[in-house]
Amino acid sequence: GMTRIADLPASTTPMWDSVPGWQTAHANARLIAAAPDLLDALQWQADYCAKQAAANTVEVMLWLDAERRARAAIAKATGDAR
């Protein structure tokens, strides 16, 4: 499941419009809140790519490249320097 990081207003108000960098901070907070779900989806994709590479010799290089890219992003997100 997803852990709630922060509650943010659905839209900006005039008060927030005057705060420098508010839109960037809001976008960053949404990304942080979505990170656990994004990581779960990417881990599923990496596992699926590995299974497809093992089962499909015609497109094996494409599946292996997709798996490699997904695992690199997972390692970056989890701090795992494999």
Side-chain angles (χ1 to χ4, degrees):
M2 189 169 87
T3 303
R4 183 173 299 246
I5 303 297
D7 288 315
L8 298 171
S11 63
T12 62
T13 62
M15 177 182 79
W16 289 111
D17 288 341
S18 65
V19 176
W22 164 247
Q23 283 100 1
T24 299
H26 195 175
N28 288 343
R30 286 193 311 267
L31 183 58
I32 290 167
D37 290 338
L38 294 169
L39 181 59
D40 285 344
L42 193 56
Q43 287 171 327
W44 180 89
Q45 177 188 339
D47 291 342
Y48 181 81
C49 288
K51 289 176 189 172
Q52 290 300 312
N56 186 344
T57 58
V58 175
E59 296 173 338
V60 70
M61 296 308 294
L62 293 174
W63 287 114
L64 288 174
D65 185 53
E67 179 193 10
R68 181 190 58 77
R69 290 171 183 250
R71 298 228 187 262
I74 292 166
K76 189 173 186 179
T78 61
D80 185 8
R82 287 190 242 179

